[in-house]
Amino acid sequence: YFQQIIKHVSIDDIVNQFYLDETNYIQNYADYWLIETDKERLKEVIQQLNIKFALLSKETSPEDLDYIYRSNAYQINIDVIRTILSKREQWDDLAFNTRNYSYIVETYPEMAKYIQNNLSEYVDNVFLKLTNNNDIKTEHLIELLNTETLPVDQKKQIITHLTATKPIECITDISDKSLWAEICNNNLMAANWENIKALVYSEEINFAEVYTKFLNNEENARKLSYQKLEEDIDLDEGKAEIAYTLIYNPNLKDNSYQLLLNSFTGIYSLQPTDLSEKRMRWLLEKNLIEINVDSYKYLKEHYTPLHIDFLEKHLADFSKSNYQNMDFDAEDMKPILNLNIEVSEKVKIIDSIVD
């Protein structure tokens, strides 16, 4: 009956009949393009009613699909888009299923523009519904996450949906900082020190829990351990160096902590802290403790006997005048005399006590 209407009723009458059709009969009629009548007549009906097909028969000809494609006469859903593209050149079923957005953007510019103008619909009906659609080019991911018209909730869904995507090299490329935590928690941020700095120095949002979790992923910590941390020379008032922030972070796991120490290039003054003895020893072994009398005294007061190890390791840096300010006492004498150092140095230390 419907086909007879399309074939024989005037275009104006068809438009009047279906203009207020709440059932959306035509857009859900998958065999519309199989009706044996003049194609221009079929197109005229579509144009007049501004039909966007929700279903399309797989028997629809490539020519008709091309018309639908170029006139954007389709709804954005998986089945319709697959039907349209599967009969076009450069069709790649694997790419469609696994990296859908990048595939469409790079291969079908007309569809890409249509999708970008209806991005929320695409994300809900295609991107998130393709189970294996877990990859996207980084540049395209950044583009999606920076699209102001796309709701934040959908952006977060995109992030959690991706499991095989190359991480974002520069987290500051994402303008909305409220997305940074989601990106880090899903390991979509590259492990580099510039990204860690961005998180630590963020003023709008406190990311301490976020970057700590990120660094406690041993793979991330290992990647960072091969990169030297270049500290910012001119820090704003109130901002501690990154190394201090991490050295005194009690929530870092030991494995990550040890790995990260390999990146530090400076020497650091000791601060009042609950740092464990083993972590203080690691700092000592990595030569990260500032070499002066204050460090020695601090170690002696809080981390005995590490002050003796510190003295032995940096003996050449302490002059006799320093010895006189180091407050050696009787309890120090035995371990100092047992040190594997020149006798002459032992004599200097003893003389400093006598003086």
Side-chain angles (χ1 to χ4, degrees), residues 115-336:
I115 283 173
Q116 287 160 353
N117 288 332
N118 299 275
L119 205 49
S120 185
E121 182 183 354
Y122 165 77
V123 171
D124 275 345
N125 296 339
V126 180
F127 193 99
L128 297 175
K129 286 189 177 179
L130 285 168
T131 306
N132 296 319
N133 183 38
N134 52 24
D135 193 11
I136 186 174
K137 281 197 170 182
T138 306
E139 63 195 81
H140 298 145
L141 174 58
I142 293 171
E143 172 191 310
L144 288 177
L145 298 184
N146 284 337
T147 301
E148 293 184 2
T149 56
L150 195 63
V152 171
D153 286 347
Q154 282 189 313
K155 293 177 181 179
K156 290 183 177 181
Q157 287 178 294
I158 289 172
I159 294 167
T160 56
H161 192 71
L162 297 171
T163 58
T165 297
K166 182 180 178 183
I168 297 170
E169 282 298 321
C170 185
I171 192 67
T172 54
D173 285 341
I174 306 302
S175 56
D176 186 352
K177 286 189 177 183
S178 70
L179 298 174
W180 287 11
E182 204 78 32
I183 291 169
C184 290
N185 291 338
N186 285 275
N187 229 33
L188 280 178
M189 181 184 80
N192 63 57
W193 284 112
E194 290 305 312
N195 284 339
I196 300 301
K197 288 180 187 180
L199 293 172
V200 173
Y201 291 153
S202 170
E203 295 179 351
E204 299 90 338
I205 303 175
N206 186 334
F207 287 110
E209 184 176 342
V210 173
Y211 66 70
T212 298
K213 180 180 177 181
F214 183 84
L215 295 174
N216 278 334
N217 179 318
E218 194 167 328
E219 182 181 354
N220 292 333
R222 191 174 304 281
K223 289 177 180 177
L224 285 163
S225 73
Y226 296 123
Q227 308 167 36
K228 292 304 178 185
L229 169 59
E230 300 296 336
E231 294 280 12
D232 297 325
I233 296 174
D234 298 318
L235 289 176
D236 294 338
E237 185 177 354
K239 285 185 177 179
E241 294 179 39
I242 300 292
Y244 276 115
T245 303
L246 300 183
I247 285 172
Y248 296 110
N249 185 335
N251 297 314
L252 283 175
K253 294 179 181 178
D254 283 345
N255 287 347
S256 292
Y257 189 91
Q258 282 186 287
L259 286 167
L260 295 174
L261 293 183
N262 293 322
S263 294
F264 300 163
T265 57
I267 53 174
Y268 308 99
S269 59
L270 297 177
Q271 302 176 355
T273 176
D274 293 330
L275 201 63
S276 66
E277 181 175 336
K278 65 181 174 183
R279 291 195 174 188
M280 187 62 74
R281 183 176 294 281
W282 293 335
L283 293 176
L284 179 60
E285 292 171 351
K286 295 289 185 181
N287 295 319
L288 296 174
I289 299 175
E290 190 172 13
I291 304 169
N292 56 35
V293 173
D294 288 340
S295 295
Y296 173 84
K297 289 182 177 181
Y298 185 86
L299 289 171
K300 179 176 180 177
E301 181 179 357
H302 300 284
Y303 293 95
T304 299
L306 290 186
H307 66 298
I308 301 299
D309 296 334
F310 181 69
L311 173 65
E312 181 178 23
K313 191 175 184 68
H314 301 293
L315 194 67
D317 295 288
F318 291 104
S319 66
K320 183 175 180 180
S321 60
N322 279 337
Y323 289 153
Q324 292 175 333
N325 297 318
M326 293 174 74
D327 297 337
F328 294 119
D329 56 31
E331 291 184 2
D332 294 325
M333 285 302 93
K334 183 176 180 179
I336 287 174

